[in-house]
Amino acid sequence: MAGSHHISRRDFIKITTAAVGTFIGAAIGLPSIAFLIDPALKAGKTDAWIPLGKLENFEVGKPTLATFTRSKANGWEKTVNSYGVFVLRKSDTETLVLSNRCTHLGCHVNWNADKQEYICPCHDAQFGINGEVLGGPPPRPLDRYSGDQLKVEDGTLLIHFLEG
Ligand code: FES
């Protein structure tokens, strides 16, 4: 009876070796697992500061299109999306940045210098120079970047972009 809980020296060595083996396996395995799930973690990150270019290069009074791309990882699948914003320097101290995405169904608007309007080619909507709706089906003005969504660093204009 007393011997039922007795662990022989040989068994003890076996158990200890198994435990050490498991520990080493875990130590080797952990970084590999972190590496495997890393793209998935990155996929959750959907905001960033996007540089649009040197502020001085945007002509005062003229909306200018700036484009950029964002890549998204979903597991191992990578997609690249293109975005555009219109930068309008109103003066040396005031800059307006508008999304070029129509608020109706998402087509890209174009700036029409003759009419001084943004025109959406999909359903003929018109937006004013500040993004307000002048005509057509859009339910609201063009999305704008203002306040703490805009900054200038070393002369470069950046927007705080949220990917939706
Ligand atoms: S998507 Fe622009 S008016 Fe419909």
Side-chain angles (χ1 to χ4, degrees), residues 41-61:
L41 287 175
K42 279 184 187 155
K45 208 175 175 187
T46 53
D47 71 313
W49 282 98
I50 308 287
L52 299 178
K54 290 283 180 195
L55 185 60
E56 63 184 17
N57 292 343
F58 293 100
E59 203 178 307
V60 175

Side-chain angles (χ1 to χ4, degrees), residues 101-109 119-127 135-138:
R101 222 171 160 257
C102 180
T103 51
H104 180 219
L105 295 176
C107 291
H108 291 170
V109 301
I119 311 278
C120 179
C122 291
H123 310 100
D124 297 326
Q126 306 109 50
F127 298 88

Side-chain angles (χ1 to χ4, degrees), residues 72-139:
K72 221 190 233 183
N74 185 3
W76 297 109
E77 198 185 8
K78 193 175 170 188
T79 50
V80 179
N81 294 314
S82 303
Y83 298 93
V85 291
F86 281 97
V87 177
L88 172 60
R89 267 179 81 199
K90 297 195 150 204
S91 67
D92 283 342
T93 53
E94 195 189 349
T95 302
L96 175 66
V97 179
L98 296 172
S99 167
N100 72 339
R101 222 171 160 257
C102 180
T103 51
H104 180 219
L105 295 176
C107 291
H108 291 170
V109 301
N110 302 307
W111 173 245
N112 184 315
D114 294 337
K115 292 187 174 172
Q116 290 286 295
E117 290 173 354
Y118 294 100
I119 311 278
C120 179
C122 291
H123 310 100
D124 297 326
Q126 306 109 50
F127 298 88
I129 196 165
N130 295 312
E132 70 277 21
V133 179
L134 298 178

Side-chain angles (χ1 to χ4, degrees), residues 8 13 19 24 30 32 41 43 48 50 56-57 59 61 69 75-76 84 88 112 134 137 140 144 148 153 161:
S8 72
I13 290 168
I24 291 170
L30 277 178
S32 327
L41 287 175
I50 308 287
E56 63 184 17
N57 292 343
E59 203 178 307
T69 56
W76 297 109
L88 172 60
N112 184 315
L134 298 178
R140 62 173 204 279
R144 65 164 62 194
D148 58 6
E153 261 178 20
F161 180 73

